[in-house]
Amino acid sequence: MNAVILLFPGTNRERDMAIALEKATGRKPTILFHRESALPPGTDLVVLPGGFSHGDYLRCGAMAARSPIMPAVHDFAARGGHILGVCNGFQILAEAGLLPGALLRNASLRFLSMDCHLRVERTDTPFTNRWQQGEVFRAPMAHGDGNYFADGATLERLEKDGRVVFRYVTPEGEATEAANRNGACNNIAGIVSENRRILGMMPHPEDLVDPLMGGTDGLPLFESIAETFATA
Amino acid sequence: MTPSAEPKMTKALVTVMPKAGVLDPQGKAIGHALGTLGFEGVGEVRTGKVIELELAEADPAKAKALAEEMARKLLANTVIESFRVELA
């Protein structure tokens, strides 16, 4: 499987993302600078990692979403390509219109750097097939703007179509207000596109893929991707 | 023969505000601080941003249209924000 990690000025999570992908798929991803205008031939997965692209100027992800590489990412998406955006990567996908809604400033106005718990809402996606339905896993989060917002009609459509993949929950799996630290609508931590091939999520599964990192809770996401392409 | 005169510049102010119904925690915090300072009777406080553009376009209608296009494409995220363009 050929994964391509996009690198924008201010991206800082590309190395851990590469480690996680290589660990699960056995292949080293290509890291591609945002000034390129084409994806390498044979790209299977495009990954937008976390960080602070372009210093979060104007709005998080706003500049990166209009980078020279992005028309190629839009084409890739239109051809049914698989895309993963984590943290700033999710913000970029939303700014680019590849996923609906927007990530607002955390309701508390505080930068949140802590572990959270996520509940897997559906397992029939290319990113979650190695989990059980309703399974809860731990994931670190580190963001100032992770408060997912969409208008009422969009939220209703997302929920009706089962496009909410991860929700902030208590360790016991309850989607409470207290577990929803950034104030996201409906405790939403991650959503997929209509064809389920584009996933955006705020917490960082790539931060927990090895016992040396303190756990392997995030590994199933990368194993799911590996599984998707092994059977494709 | 090349024209030597600088093109006439028009200044446009783009005001970007969160849409009604979009949470504005900064506005809430400012409202709270104003209360702490003893200012009474302050209702809802909303924060946005103003972007000043210098445009090489002498025609006001064209300058306004150009600034509006810039706002739609980059300066505002119309999922959560509305914008207004004024020429200074």
Side-chain angles (χ1 to χ4, degrees):
Chain A
M1 190 211 57
N2 298 312
V4 172
I5 299 177
L6 301 185
L7 185 68
F8 302 93
T11 295
N12 60 18
R13 305 297 305 135
E14 74 280 6
R15 288 183 210 174
D16 295 74
M17 190 58 84
I19 290 168
L21 284 163
E22 188 176 355
K23 188 178 169 88
T25 68
R27 288 197 66 172
K28 219 183 241 317
T30 305
I31 293 185
L32 191 72
F33 199 49
H34 73 122
R35 287 202 179 282
E36 299 292 330
S37 56
L39 296 168
T43 298
D44 294 308
L45 172 76
V46 173
V47 182
L48 292 84
F52 302 86
S53 58
H54 298 271
D56 282 349
Y57 291 170
L58 190 62
R59 299 176 305 274
C60 298
M63 310 290 183
R66 282 121 184 126
S67 292
I69 191 63
M70 289 308 285
V73 176
H74 280 276
D75 287 348
F76 181 73
R79 291 197 307 271
H82 290 74
I83 305 177
L84 168 65
V86 172
C87 200
N88 189 219
F90 184 12
Q91 294 165 340
I92 296 169
L93 290 177
E95 275 285 341
L98 287 166
L99 288 172
L103 284 310
L104 302 179
R105 183 65 46 87
N106 293 342
S108 63
L109 289 176
R110 290 199 172 89
F111 188 95
L112 296 170
S113 178
M114 59 185 62
D115 281 356
C116 62
H117 287 85
L118 301 181
R119 189 173 68 207
V120 181
E121 301 290 79
R122 69 184 299 168
T123 55
D124 53 348
T125 82
F127 307 96
T128 56
N129 55 59
R130 293 290 287 261
W131 272 298
Q132 299 295 316
Q133 181 78 24
E135 200 173 333
V136 174
F137 69 101
R138 187 167 59 99
M141 62 173 167
H143 60 247
D145 298 69
N147 179 350
Y148 183 77
F149 173 87
D151 62 56
T154 305
L155 276 180
E156 203 173 304
R157 201 181 66 226
L158 287 174
E159 295 288 359
K160 189 168 72 65
D161 297 346
R163 286 170 55 188
V164 178
V165 171
F166 299 122
R167 251 184 256 275
Y168 299 108
V169 294
T170 62
E172 294 75 37
E174 296 298 319
T176 63
E177 206 179 316
N180 193 28
R181 299 297 296 260
N182 59 28
C185 288
N186 297 8
N187 288 47
I188 290 173
I191 55 169
V192 283
S193 58
E194 214 167 343
N195 69 3
R196 294 181 232 161
R197 291 186 172 188
I198 306 176
L199 167 68
M201 65 188 296
M202 285 311 298
H204 292 275
E206 79 279 12
D207 283 7
L208 281 182
V209 296
D210 192 292
L212 277 176
M213 293 171 161
T216 56
D217 294 58
L219 194 55
L221 186 129
F222 300 96
E223 290 172 341
S224 297
I225 293 170
E227 173 84 15
T228 298
F229 287 97
T231 56
Chain B
M1 292 288 285
T2 53
S4 58
E6 291 280 316
K8 179 161 174 353
M9 306 299 279
T10 304
K11 198 169 267 184
L13 293 180
V14 183
T15 304
V16 181
M17 292 297 292
K19 282 183 178 172
V22 174
L23 190 73
D24 178 20
Q26 286 191 86
K28 281 206 165 54
I30 292 167
H32 183 77
L34 288 173
T36 305
L37 286 172
F39 289 103
E40 289 171 19
V42 179
E44 199 186 7
V45 179
R46 308 279 284 169
T47 57
K49 55 180 83 106
V50 175
I51 298 157
E52 202 179 284
L53 301 167
E54 225 178 35
L55 303 172
E57 175 56 69
D59 181 75
K62 283 184 185 161
K64 189 163 190 234
L66 192 61
E68 282 171 349
E69 191 189 347
M70 291 175 184
R72 271 191 302 275
K73 286 195 171 161
L74 176 66
L75 307 179
N77 177 347
T78 54
V79 173
I80 48 172
E81 295 167 328
S82 59
F83 66 86
R84 188 176 71 234
V85 173
E86 292 160 289
L87 299 183

